[in-house]
Amino acid sequence: MTISIPSGLSNATVAVRNALERFPNNEPASLIFEPGIHDFYLDGCSKYAPKLSNNNNDERNVAIPIVDRNGLSIEGKGATLLFHGLITPIFIKGSSSITVKDITINFAIPLYIDAVVESFDEKHLSLAIDRNEYDYKIEGSPAAITFDTAEGKICSRDIYLNFIRIDERKNKTRDWGVLNAFVFLGDCTNNPAKLPAGRMFADVEATPTGIKMIYRPECPYRPFKVGEHIFIRDPESSGSPNVIMANSAGVIFKDVTMLAGPGMGFLGQMCNDITFDHVNIRPAEGKNISTNADAIHLVQCNGKVIVRDCNISHALDDALNVHGDYFRVEKVLSSDKLLVRAAAAHHSGFVPYSVGDELIINTPQPLKEKGRAVITAVETNDDETDIVLSFDRDISSFADEGDYTENHNHLPELLFERNKIDDIPEIRVATTKKVVIRDNIFNLCCTDLHFNDLPGFWWESSPSRDVEVTNNIFMRPGPNIRFDLARDCVPERCR
């Protein structure tokens, strides 16, 4: 069955929803977007609240939901899907043999602020903001900023701002980079502890050309450069990926271009076999950034991940991050049952286990394996933050409260070849399966290839031990390859 969506509709969201309702769930089908621009608005979006790793778990407005389907193809013939507001363009869950090809994803107004440094010293930072593109107001006492656009609120009161600093990138050397800082303005009530970046504390006032942040005494001094760009993001909207894949298999993205996104470009978790073929993630014409977070982020996936012939540039976080998650043993419930919870709040609600998985139990810092057992049942509470695991053997002899679990069953092989990566912090890989990285061109601002095992703030597992890196071009001076392994182990094969 094939259904075509003509361009020029007043709201493609409704047309897509009606088309998907007509498709049988388990028969091959094609949804074709005719060439041109397809405008998607909030009206008509489906509502989902998936439990996501490394993102918030808010209810999402989904334009193209692909749920419990087999053999569906989304084809664009070069069409542009233009999203208006905080929308998740594509949500794939519990599906298999899904292909998305020949489309461009863009947002009418990207959910970030592109500001320019006017002046700074140890007491203040003044930023120029284009009033024609970004509308904002200073309100409250102490004052905070509210950024509004025609398509939705960027930041609201009591939400800290996330500044991403990117230098002017003229000479393509390592004298520029990315600086993350969570900025707490006015009477922001968010907890500043345990954030993955530095903290800044300030009051704010309006200026004729933008805003002026006046540092509070506890704010560390950060040198900037007059004329450099500062990108301001709201951490809440930054937790909204463009494409979400969960518990799905055989997903292929081919000839897909992504020009903007409020959060990650692609987020996949507990998926089997994902291919990115000729995917192009870059800024739209006249813009400086593409996605507001990682371009591709894959959590506890398995099978094979292929990233081939892709161009990825100017995202505000990593080009690719592949990893598992550490969870903490909260209680030994019986001889064969454990209560576990996410070791980090940003993984809470995500369930990285399946019946039949062999779970590894580790001591706390430093990590050291204590034992293994096969999962026979997985139970959760309503919000899936408490996970009760049953096992095929007595685990009480080696499992203790405070231990950490990792699941190697849901980690993928990775083939990363013939890609071009520009002006992005890093590529991060943490998988125990085979990794092949070959024939790429890297032009990154931090470590090009970072093989990490992070039983710390991010709590991302596991150590890479079979790595082949061959015939790549590294455009910037080193270090280009870095191993951060949080335990007493070394790669078994690193070529």
Side-chain angles (χ1 to χ4, degrees):
M1 184 176 187
T2 298
I3 297 178
S4 294
I5 306 294
S7 61
L9 298 176
S10 59
N11 184 7
T13 309
V14 176
V16 168
R17 183 187 64 191
N18 293 338
L20 290 173
E21 289 174 352
R22 293 173 56 190
F23 285 141
N25 280 0
N26 293 310
E27 296 180 16
S30 296
L31 181 65
I32 309 294
F33 290 95
E34 295 298 331
I37 296 177
H38 298 257
D39 291 286
F40 288 80
Y41 292 90
L42 289 166
D43 184 31
C45 281
S46 301
K47 305 286 187 180
Y48 291 93
K51 304 297 185 181
L52 302 181
S53 180
N54 295 80
N55 285 267
N56 62 51
N57 290 324
D58 297 340
E59 184 177 69
R60 300 172 192 279
N61 297 294
V62 176
I64 307 175
I66 304 171
V67 179
D68 298 328
R69 294 188 177 275
N70 178 43
L72 179 63
S73 177
I74 307 290
E75 302 178 28
K77 296 184 176 181
T80 293
L81 312 188
L82 188 63
F83 297 90
H84 300 260
L86 189 56
I87 295 174
T88 297
I90 300 174
F91 175 51
I92 303 170
K93 181 182 179 183
S95 299
S96 60
S97 301
I98 305 299
T99 299
V100 179
K101 63 181 181 180
D102 204 16
I103 63 170
T104 293
I105 293 174
N106 198 7
F107 281 74
I109 299 180
L111 291 177
Y112 64 83
I113 304 297
D114 188 346
V116 178
V117 175
E118 285 191 314
S119 65
F120 71 94
D121 58 25
E122 68 278 2
K123 295 182 179 180
H124 87 286
L125 172 64
S126 291
L127 300 173
I129 301 174
D130 185 352
R131 277 283 193 179
N132 294 322
E133 187 165 4
Y134 308 108
D135 191 19
Y136 60 92
K137 53 193 172 187
I138 309 297
E139 58 186 359
S141 179
I145 312 173
T146 299
F147 291 99
D148 289 295
T149 73
E151 318 246 359
K153 185 169 288 189
I154 298 288
C155 301
S156 64
R157 241 171 152 243
D158 285 344
I159 292 180
Y160 49 82
L161 306 182
N162 184 193
F163 278 51
I164 305 295
R165 169 192 173 186
I166 299 185
D167 288 354
E168 281 298 311
R169 287 174 284 195
K170 291 180 180 178
N171 53 13
K172 297 294 183 182
T173 63
R174 283 185 183 272
D175 63 359
W176 70 273
V178 177
L179 178 145
N180 296 305
F182 288 86
V183 183
F184 294 79
L185 295 174
D187 57 357
C188 179
T189 59
N190 284 282
N191 183 1
K194 296 184 178 180
L195 293 172
R199 270 82 75 193
M200 298 174 67
F201 302 88
D203 294 304
V204 65
E205 61 184 35
T207 67
T209 55
I211 62 173
K212 179 179 182 179
M213 293 197 306
I214 301 120
Y215 299 147
R216 293 185 174 183
E218 65 270 32
C219 182
Y221 170 65
R222 296 180 181 274
F224 295 95
K225 295 180 182 179
V226 172
E228 74 180 356
H229 289 257
I230 303 285
F231 297 98
I232 307 171
R233 301 182 300 169
D234 167 23
E236 295 302 315
S237 61
S238 293
S240 181
N242 281 355
V243 178
I244 298 172
M245 300 164 278
N247 303 93
S248 296
V251 183
I252 298 172
F253 299 94
K254 182 174 176 59
D255 296 310
V256 173
T257 296
M258 194 172 285
L259 302 179
M264 295 176 177
F266 297 89
L267 172 67
Q269 58 184 42
M270 296 292 283
C271 290
N272 184 17
D273 295 334
I274 305 175
T275 298
F276 302 90
D277 184 358
H278 288 85
V279 170
N280 186 9
I281 301 176
R282 61 173 176 82
E285 186 71 26
K287 300 296 183 182
N288 290 307
I289 63 173
S290 54
T291 60
N292 285 5
D294 293 356
I296 302 173
H297 194 112
L298 305 176
V299 188
Q300 297 282 185
C301 293
N302 60 0
K304 194 162 190 175
V305 170
I306 299 174
V307 184
R308 175 184 289 139
D309 296 314
C310 297
N311 291 316
I312 304 175
S313 71
H314 299 90
L316 288 184
D317 212 332
D318 300 319
L320 173 69
N321 193 345
V322 177
H323 65 86
D325 284 346
Y326 286 109
F327 274 58
R328 185 178 187 274
V329 176
E330 295 295 323
K331 190 174 183 180
V332 179
L333 298 175
S334 67
S335 63
D336 63 351
K337 285 188 178 182
L338 295 178
L339 170 65
V340 302
R341 293 180 184 140
H346 44 264
H347 303 316
S348 187
F350 171 52
V351 181
Y353 307 110
S354 301
V355 171
D357 292 347
E358 183 181 59
L359 199 66
I360 299 173
I361 310 294
N362 297 300
T363 59
Q365 312 272 359
L367 290 179
K368 186 175 181 180
E369 182 176 329
K370 299 173 69 178
R372 302 188 180 203
V374 174
I375 297 173
T376 58
V378 180
E379 302 170 84
T380 68
N381 60 351
D382 289 342
D383 63 3
E384 300 183 347
T385 55
D386 288 352
I387 305 172
V388 175
L389 302 175
S390 300
F391 297 95
D392 66 339
R393 56 175 290 197
D394 185 347
I395 45 85
S396 60
S397 60
F398 60 84
D400 295 293
E401 180 179 325
D403 288 343
Y404 291 101
T405 71
E406 59 182 314
N407 187 352
H408 290 182
N409 295 84
H410 292 281
L411 290 173
E413 292 185 25
L414 173 63
L415 173 59
F416 193 88
E417 65 178 355
R418 301 195 302 268
N419 304 294
K420 189 174 187 296
I421 314 298
D422 277 313
D423 288 348
I424 283 181
E426 291 185 319
I427 291 171
R428 289 177 173 264
V429 178
T431 176
T432 56
K433 307 296 174 52
K434 184 177 182 179
V435 176
V436 176
I437 300 176
R438 64 191 179 202
D439 303 320
N440 303 283
I441 300 175
F442 295 115
N443 190 22
L444 286 79
C445 65
C446 299
T447 303
D448 297 278
L449 302 175
H450 191 175
F451 299 93
N452 52 254
D453 182 23
L454 301 173
F457 177 83
W458 289 110
W459 293 101
E460 295 175 356
S461 69
S462 294
S464 299
R465 300 185 181 185
D466 185 356
V467 177
E468 177 182 327
V469 180
T470 58
N471 201 35
N472 299 283
I473 297 174
F474 297 94
M475 302 297 292
R476 302 179 192 267
N480 302 114
I481 303 174
R482 175 179 167 191
F483 282 86
D484 281 332
L485 304 181
R487 62 190 82 189
D488 185 20
C489 68
V490 295
E492 296 169 1
R493 292 197 300 166
C494 184
R495 302 175 301 287

